[in-house]
Amino acid sequence: MAKFNLLEEPWIPVLRGGRVEEVGLEEALLKAPEIARIETPSPLEEAALHRLLLAVLHRALGGPSRVEEVGAWWQEGHFPLEPIREYLDRYRARFYLFHEEAPFFQVADLPEKDPLPWSKLLPELASGNNPTLFDHTTEENLPQVGYAQAARALLVHQTFTPGGLLRRHGVPSANGAPLAGAAAFLPTGTNLFETLLFNLVPYQKGEDAPLWEVPPLRLEDLEGHKTKWPLSGVTRVYTWPSRGVRLLDEGDGVRFMAYGPGVEPLDVAFRDPMVAYRKDAKGNLLPLRLSVEKAFWRDFGAMLPQVEGAPPSTVNAADELLGYLEEEGLDPLPTRGLRVLGQVSDQAKILDMRREVYPLPPKVLSVKAELNLGPALERAEALGRGLRGLAFLMAREVLGSGEPGELSAFAASLPLERLYWHALDGSFPALLERLGKEGDRAFWEEALRRAALEAWAATRVALGTGARHLKALAKGEALLLSLLAEKEEVKR
């Protein structure tokens, strides 16, 4: 029996009128101007839900082909409603979470033998060999989950599941999902309508098709990786079936699921519109990833064309739309945001999930802005390396000629480098807003200097007051002044 249609049932959490509520997919699109944003604590859920909405829009609207088309929708204040209604009516039967022949994003005939707990769908929940991140649920006390949460978890899993061993239905291991190891870039506006407009990249239907426009997958399609599709096409990638899943309905919720392989991706020359790429030493373009050790902004320069990187198409599209609106006088102060969303993984283990928020000023990808951003980031890294050397000098002065491991551990225990980067985490968004404007370099030089001096002041307090400590501080201060003087010489 068909049940829980995702177009109508409430399952997408949104902020509207100051309140968080759940809406169906159809309402999210048709009333997007009334909705402030998708509101979820999970950065993975935020990215996956936006990709689903964007896939529907691209197919329903058959575009956009040019920025002027997006600009016209902006002026109208809403999407073309009838094409969206007609499209959703055409595929309404494919959006049931439970369906005998075509359950949404699932495989109807996956056998129920050896079911897995539904919590395997979410990396933040304890399941199998997942480390516990934010949850203390165990498989022994697994609670039943409602249909809305199960649907969101399914979407997250298909978008972010890492690769690794599978050993089901003739498949020993499987590749990761499209965003398993990449950061997703989501430009944001003042409401959901603007956010979706910013992320609509130039699109032609071509051979692309989302999952609900193709025949439903069956177990025989997935056994032994029988079905292989090229990993290309905007909406195909946004709705990629990374794994075969069948949620097992208990009448009023879900506790277990049937599980198996998904479609085997064929590598082709295609760039995910939400992903940034950098060039490695061999000239290959690799997706930019998030890191446990540092905030994403420190890698911001790696994706820029000046270093042969490639910014995400969504940021290009937003930048182009902001420029168009400014030229048309439609939005004289178009300051918007940029969210960097994703997970940090070590092979199949998820170590962290991140949401980093930055401003997105107009012309952030202009040549002038790029020319200033690259050197600014390089100077920050150079001073950071200098402070790391300073910390090691202090360790040697305090401990003498100890073992390298002991010296390194002492140096790492000092707050110097850690506080320096922490201060710059707070200053970088302001640099981004000033980028390309007069005084942006001077602002950043002062931010670097202030961050280094504040970190040094905290290190002085933490080090101690013995004779060897005071001697170390004297030598350290001389090196710090030398590092800052080098900065001043570069500035001049």
Side-chain angles (χ1 to χ4, degrees):
M1 181 181 72
K3 187 175 179 181
F4 202 81
N5 190 288
L6 297 175
L7 302 186
E8 302 152 3
E9 299 283 354
W11 69 288
I12 299 176
V14 300
L15 180 65
R16 178 163 57 182
R19 296 178 53 195
V20 178
E21 59 182 307
E22 292 181 348
V23 300
L25 190 151
E26 188 167 14
E27 184 174 356
L29 291 176
L30 298 182
K31 298 187 177 178
E34 301 173 8
I35 295 171
R37 60 178 178 268
I38 290 177
E39 183 74 10
T40 166
S42 166
L44 308 190
E45 202 171 278
E46 182 177 0
L49 285 167
H50 278 97
R51 284 164 79 90
L52 175 62
L53 295 179
L54 288 166
V56 172
L57 284 174
H58 277 304
R59 298 303 288 180
L61 303 178
S65 58
R66 298 174 297 121
V67 67
E68 289 80 3
E69 199 172 355
V70 186
W73 296 335
W74 183 287
Q75 291 185 72
E76 291 170 6
H78 57 80
F79 295 115
L81 301 182
E82 281 310 307
I84 294 176
R85 289 193 180 103
E86 291 174 4
Y87 180 82
L88 293 180
D89 284 343
R90 192 183 320 152
Y91 293 102
R92 189 168 298 274
R94 296 296 301 273
F95 283 86
Y96 283 102
L97 191 62
F98 302 100
H99 192 282
E100 292 181 354
E101 298 296 327
F104 179 76
F105 233 145
Q106 301 167 76
V107 180
D109 62 344
L110 271 183
E112 297 183 19
K113 183 182 178 183
D114 300 326
L116 295 178
W118 77 272
S119 57
K120 181 178 173 61
L121 296 174
L122 291 181
E124 65 265 41
L125 298 185
S127 174
N129 65 346
N130 280 356
T132 299
L133 294 179
F134 312 108
D135 169 73
H136 295 281
T137 303
T138 67
E139 293 181 16
E140 285 71 32
N141 66 356
L142 183 69
Q144 188 186 69
V145 66
Y147 299 144
Q149 187 174 353
R152 297 194 298 270
L154 174 66
L155 208 58
V156 168
H157 194 71
Q158 300 287 21
T159 309
F160 286 97
T161 186
L165 291 176
L166 191 63
R167 291 177 180 152
R168 284 181 176 241
H169 307 302
V171 174
S173 63
N175 290 317
L179 292 185
F185 289 72
L186 183 77
T188 58
T190 57
N191 56 44
L192 180 60
F193 170 63
E194 291 184 5
T195 294
L196 293 171
L197 285 181
F198 280 139
N199 289 276
L200 285 172
V201 299
Y203 180 76
Q204 292 184 338
K205 282 192 171 183
E207 297 180 356
D208 181 35
L211 194 61
W212 52 83
E213 289 191 27
V214 299
L217 291 166
R218 312 289 294 181
L219 174 60
E220 64 181 16
D221 298 320
L222 306 177
E223 286 179 310
H225 277 326
K226 180 179 176 183
T227 299
K228 305 178 191 295
W229 293 346
L231 190 61
S232 63
V234 174
T235 67
R236 179 187 291 149
V237 172
Y238 281 179
T239 60
W240 185 265
S242 305
R243 297 290 184 272
V245 177
R246 179 160 73 95
L247 299 172
L248 303 179
D249 185 17
E250 295 188 344
D252 56 354
V254 173
R255 202 181 309 266
F256 294 98
M257 63 178 178
Y259 196 72
V263 171
E264 178 76 352
L266 297 174
D267 285 334
V268 294
F270 179 79
R271 297 176 189 170
D272 190 308
M274 283 191 173
V275 174
Y277 296 85
R278 65 176 176 81
K279 189 166 276 190
D280 68 5
K282 296 180 179 178
N284 301 313
L285 279 177
L286 302 177
L288 278 178
R289 307 166 66 97
L290 294 173
S291 165
V292 171
E293 290 81 18
K294 59 184 180 181
F296 177 79
W297 68 265
R298 291 174 59 184
D299 287 329
F300 211 97
M303 67 179 182
L304 298 176
Q306 289 286 330
V307 292
E308 299 183 314
S313 298
T314 50
V315 175
N316 271 325
D319 195 46
E320 190 175 8
L321 178 57
L322 285 170
Y324 173 83
L325 295 174
E326 192 173 21
E327 290 175 4
E328 295 293 313
L330 297 175
D331 195 353
L333 295 172
T335 300
R336 302 293 188 250
L338 174 65
R339 295 189 173 212
V340 185
L341 311 164
Q343 61 191 8
V344 183
S345 62
D346 177 9
Q347 296 183 338
K349 287 190 176 181
I350 308 304
L351 305 178
D352 196 10
M353 292 182 294
R354 298 266 284 281
R355 174 191 284 121
E356 298 184 17
V357 181
Y358 301 100
L360 183 66
K363 301 176 183 176
V364 69
L365 297 178
S366 68
V367 173
K368 184 178 180 182
E370 190 179 341
L371 287 175
N372 285 353
L373 182 59
L377 295 174
E378 289 173 8
R379 286 199 290 275
E381 291 292 337
L383 184 52
R385 288 193 297 272
L387 294 178
R388 191 179 311 153
L390 194 161
F392 197 81
L393 168 71
M394 305 278 284
R396 198 165 52 214
E397 290 297 324
V398 171
L399 300 180
S401 54
E403 293 293 327
E406 186 182 10
L407 295 176
S408 296
F410 185 89
S413 72
L414 298 175
L416 187 59
E417 193 179 359
R418 186 168 60 253
L419 291 182
Y420 166 75
W421 287 118
H422 178 71
L424 292 183
D425 286 347
S427 298
F428 182 75
L431 170 67
L432 212 51
E433 287 186 327
R434 289 173 168 80
L435 210 55
K437 299 176 182 174
E438 186 176 353
D440 57 351
R441 292 192 180 194
F443 166 82
W444 189 239
E445 293 292 349
E446 179 55 29
L448 295 177
R449 181 182 180 83
R450 189 170 58 248
L453 291 175
E454 290 176 357
W456 173 250
T459 302
R460 287 183 63 93
V461 173
L463 190 62
T465 57
R468 57 181 176 165
H469 300 107
L470 295 177
K471 183 180 175 184
L473 286 171
K475 287 195 173 183
E477 192 153 301
L479 178 55
L480 175 66
L481 293 176
S482 172
L483 292 171
L484 294 176
E486 289 176 10
K487 307 289 294 176
E488 292 301 320
E489 288 173 6
V490 172
K491 180 182 175 183
R492 286 195 293 272

